[in-house]
Amino acid sequence: DAMVIQNPRYQVTQFGKPVTLSCSQTLNHNVMYWYQQKSSQAPKLLFHYYDKDFNNEADTPDNFQSRRPNTSFCFLDIRSPGLGDAAMYLCATSRDRAAEQFFGPGTRLTVL
Amino acid sequence: AQSVTQPDIHITVSEGASLELRCNYSYGATPYLFWYVQSPGQGLQLLLKYFSGDTLVQGIKGFEAEFKRSQSSFNLRKPSVHWSDAAEYFCAVGSFNNDMRFGAGTRLTVKP
């Protein structure tokens, strides 16, 4: 089945220690998104790639960066995680920006 | 600016009862509308979507939604709720060349 895969499902890191979250897709979609979701809140868009074009939300902290080396993979790098960065991180893909998004299962990040 | 409002933070219904979750949007352009469901610790799953055409949209798991332009609403309904429907429900709005925006979500509890 075509799908969106996120690894790891659970990530524990220490305050200030860089961490990378991974997302891959078999849907061959043009657009890949990263969302941050805190408890009992809506997903908050951090950034997205339309093909190779990177689009950063205005309020995404500089601490968060992303890479998309090819169509299938996208990475979220958190350079110096703080306690406030503990959240669920969701990856999603879509055929284009107007189409429905397909979500991965998420990575739960804990910062100690 | 586009926005989505889900007025009900939490709804409790009895199993077998009917359900309606409210969603209102504010949008300058023709909106694309979506309902997603999220079980605890999981990603979001698309229930249904509206782009154009028939304003009554059928989705998966027995859900439907009706687009009412005059009321700027896209309410989600189900005639008979099952215990497995307990989850968080998110309404989302997008448009051509614009990113999707999510409502704050409505948590559904199903009583036996």
Side-chain angles (χ1 to χ4, degrees):
Chain A
D1 285 343
M3 52 197 303
V4 181
I5 302 163
Q6 291 188 245
N7 284 305
R9 292 293 312 277
Y10 302 91
Q11 176 73 58
V12 180
T13 191
Q14 292 180 335
F15 183 94
K17 185 175 181 180
V19 66
T20 295
L21 308 183
S22 169
C23 177
S24 64
Q25 55 136 339
T26 61
L27 297 159
N28 203 33
H29 282 168
N30 289 320
V31 195
M32 295 187 78
Y33 304 84
W34 279 105
Y35 289 89
Q36 180 192 64
Q37 187 180 29
K38 297 190 175 181
S39 182
S40 301
Q41 295 183 21
K44 177 181 180 298
L45 182 64
L46 295 173
F47 25 60
H48 76 268
Y49 274 94
Y50 191 105
D51 197 10
K52 295 181 180 179
D53 293 333
F54 177 71
N55 295 272
N56 200 34
E57 290 296 292
D59 57 352
T60 298
D62 293 338
N63 198 25
F64 291 82
Q65 296 181 337
S66 184
R67 296 170 282 137
R68 188 178 185 186
N70 53 53
T71 300
S72 301
F73 284 87
C74 195
F75 300 97
L76 170 62
D77 300 308
I78 307 176
R79 289 190 296 182
S80 182
L83 298 179
D85 297 327
M88 175 76 89
Y89 289 88
L90 297 166
C91 175
T93 74
S94 66
R95 181 172 38 84
D96 58 55
R97 287 177 71 190
E100 66 266 34
Q101 295 182 19
F102 294 81
F103 284 81
T107 295
R108 169 74 63 187
L109 178 67
T110 300
V111 182
L112 301 177
Chain B
Q2 61 194 79
S3 66
V4 185
T5 302
Q6 293 181 246
D8 305 304
I9 296 173
H10 183 206
I11 283 183
T12 300
V13 299
S14 298
E15 189 167 17
S18 63
L19 171 70
E20 182 169 27
L21 302 181
R22 297 183 292 164
C23 174
N24 294 99
Y25 65 90
S26 173
Y27 213 73
T30 301
Y32 302 149
L33 296 156
F34 308 85
W35 274 100
Y36 285 85
V37 61
Q38 185 179 33
S39 297
Q42 300 297 318
L44 279 69
Q45 182 183 21
L46 181 70
L47 286 175
L48 46 77
K49 62 190 178 189
Y50 172 79
F51 287 150
S52 65
D54 193 346
T55 56
L56 184 62
V57 180
Q58 301 298 321
I60 62 171
K61 303 185 181 186
F63 286 93
E64 66 177 26
E66 186 170 11
F67 171 57
K68 293 185 177 179
R69 186 185 298 274
S70 62
Q71 299 177 20
S72 298
S73 69
F74 188 58
N75 294 348
L76 182 71
R77 301 194 295 247
K78 186 169 185 177
S80 178
V81 169
H82 188 261
W83 64 266
S84 60
D85 293 325
E88 188 89 19
Y89 290 80
F90 292 97
C91 180
V93 64
S95 71
F96 179 74
N97 219 31
N98 278 290
D99 296 315
M100 190 182 300
R101 297 296 179 209
F102 287 88
T106 297
R107 183 162 62 93
L108 174 65
T109 298
V110 181
K111 292 190 303 184

